[in-house]
Amino acid sequence: MDATLLKALNEERRNRRAALVITDLGSGAQRLVREAGIGAEPDAGELRQMLLSGKSRTQATEAGERFIAVHLPATKFVIIGAVHISQVLAPMAMATGFDVTVIDPRTAFATPERFAGINLLAEWPDEVLGDVGLDRWCAFAALTHDPKIDDMPLAAALKAGCFYVGALGSRKTHAKRLDRLMQAGIGPEFAARIHAPIGLDIGAQSPAEIAVSVLAEAIAALRGRDARRDTAGGAAA
Amino acid sequence: MSGAEAMAGGAVQDDILAIAESWAGEGRDVALATVIETWGSAPRPVGSHLVIDADGAFMGSVSGGCVEGAVVTEALDVIGSGKPKVLEFGVADETAWEVGLSCGGRIRVYVEKVA
């Protein structure tokens, strides 16, 4: 690998941008394709699919065999609310490969005892979100039910383009939330991205079952699948 | 801060590319090995890296430790010649048995010089 290419690739990775490296296995010729530059590729559609799958692979072409390496930033999961659902969601999301952070300013909820082994911040979201760093490779769930805690980070997650934004609450609660977000300057096109009521419609009852439905919904969003639309009789159908 | 430190928060595997950059930056001769294809119960997924220097120092993995020794040997050759190689290890290959890919999987590994 050309040292300059390696440097450029690492630069993309450090800045949490997706990139592909295409290697001609015969000649060793290699090039870096940044996500922003995929549109200019002849096989842009296929390369985009590869980014969604996150899987690197070899490919036989007329010009010989090539290897396409997919480099995706590590996905994060930011959970607002150190609640019962989060106690199950956080370790499951970690097991699925997410870098998980749970944020809740209520110190009665945000205790190390309730969240052993989890990156837990007993702070107001607006004080720590800058360091946590919301971006499009981040899933986000607001689970406190409390607008004072949930609303600000929810707006921030929408603005940052998080690939998944979910918010707990009934349709009624969510309608009120949308009103508040509109007043805070969040347009309807942003607000429509919120998954609410949160989670896939699997008839979840317990906090743990809701956690499963939320994680599944987030994974579907990561892989570019609208699980609500693809599932007959889904939550929003 | 080195690249490796900057990315320490990410998955450990991903740090190998930062290590490769940092080793090359120190003026060491470096090769990068990448798993490009797997069949069966291969222990490391496609895209896994091993970085090797001319002294045989290495970081990362392309298997569960079964074929790293053979990959390092080939990498020294690649560092010398500058020409990339595709290696294949698997149960169908007698040599592979000798180097010990006993997990029953097969892997192809691309080895290239960082220059």
Side-chain angles (χ1 to χ4, degrees):
Chain A
M1 184 180 283
D2 183 75
T4 316
L5 191 151
L6 176 60
K7 213 168 190 171
L9 169 63
N10 281 338
E11 177 73 14
E12 295 303 297
R13 294 168 62 242
R14 261 192 294 279
N15 287 297
R16 291 182 56 79
R17 290 191 293 258
L20 302 143
V21 176
I22 304 176
T23 305
D24 182 316
L25 292 177
S27 67
Q30 223 162 24
R31 63 203 177 87
L32 174 70
V33 179
R34 294 176 177 84
E35 187 180 14
I38 287 184
E41 296 293 313
D43 46 359
E46 194 175 0
L47 295 181
R48 282 216 177 81
Q49 277 305 314
M50 290 193 66
L51 276 192
L52 285 174
S53 77
K55 282 198 164 167
S56 307
R57 63 181 165 86
T58 53
Q59 202 178 43
T61 71
E62 280 174 22
E65 191 183 21
R66 62 181 192 168
F67 176 63
I68 304 176
V70 180
H71 296 274
L72 298 186
T75 45
K76 304 183 200 179
F77 208 132
V78 174
I79 301 168
I80 307 298
V83 298
H84 198 167
I85 296 170
S86 316
Q87 284 180 279
V88 183
L89 178 57
M92 279 200 314
M94 279 173 72
T96 326
F98 290 95
D99 287 339
V100 175
T101 304
V102 177
I103 304 170
D104 196 325
R106 301 169 301 178
T107 47
F109 286 83
T111 69
E113 200 176 18
R114 286 162 48 81
F115 287 87
I118 307 291
N119 183 26
L120 175 70
L121 303 173
E123 307 281 351
W124 284 92
D126 59 347
E127 284 164 8
V128 293
L129 272 184
D131 287 339
V132 172
L134 295 172
D135 61 24
R136 56 165 296 215
W137 299 100
C138 184
F140 172 92
L143 303 177
T144 71
H145 272 131
D146 184 340
K148 287 198 302 297
I149 305 172
D150 279 352
D151 280 9
M152 175 270 158
L154 190 54
L158 291 169
K159 284 179 187 158
C162 292
F163 72 83
Y164 173 78
V165 179
L168 190 69
S170 65
R171 283 183 174 78
K172 210 168 143 190
T173 306
H174 187 56
K176 284 186 201 157
R177 174 160 46 214
L178 289 180
D179 286 344
R180 291 194 307 272
L181 288 173
M182 301 280 180
Q183 278 165 21
I186 301 294
E189 72 283 1
F190 273 110
R193 292 200 50 240
I194 303 174
H195 290 259
I198 200 169
L200 296 187
D201 186 9
I202 57 171
Q205 296 295 325
S206 66
E209 288 175 3
I210 295 168
V212 170
S213 76
V214 172
L215 183 58
E217 193 171 57
I219 292 169
L222 174 64
R223 301 302 176 202
R225 181 161 306 197
D226 186 340
R228 289 174 301 179
R229 194 179 57 210
D230 293 349
T231 311
Chain B
M1 193 196 297
S2 77
E5 281 162 343
M7 275 183 276
V12 172
Q13 170 61 30
D14 285 350
D15 290 347
I16 300 309
L17 291 175
I19 293 168
E21 183 185 339
S22 126
W23 283 9
E26 290 165 17
R28 290 153 82 170
D29 283 327
V30 175
L32 184 68
T34 307
V35 177
I36 58 167
E37 210 165 353
T38 67
W39 299 263
S41 60
R44 297 288 290 131
V46 171
S48 303
H49 293 298
L50 184 73
V51 58
I52 308 102
D53 78 0
D55 294 330
F58 63 91
M59 296 283 271
S61 63
V62 292
S63 75
C66 352
V67 302
E68 272 74 4
V71 174
V72 168
T73 307
E74 295 286 348
L76 297 178
D77 199 38
V78 168
I79 287 173
S81 73
K83 288 203 175 75
K85 276 188 187 183
V86 177
L87 311 174
E88 189 167 339
F89 301 97
V91 290
D93 181 339
E94 283 305 313
T95 339
W97 271 117
E98 283 164 28
V99 299
L101 194 66
S102 52
C103 45
R106 277 170 66 206
I107 57 171
R108 278 174 84 206
V109 179
Y110 182 70
V111 187
E112 61 191 313
K113 187 173 181 177
V114 177

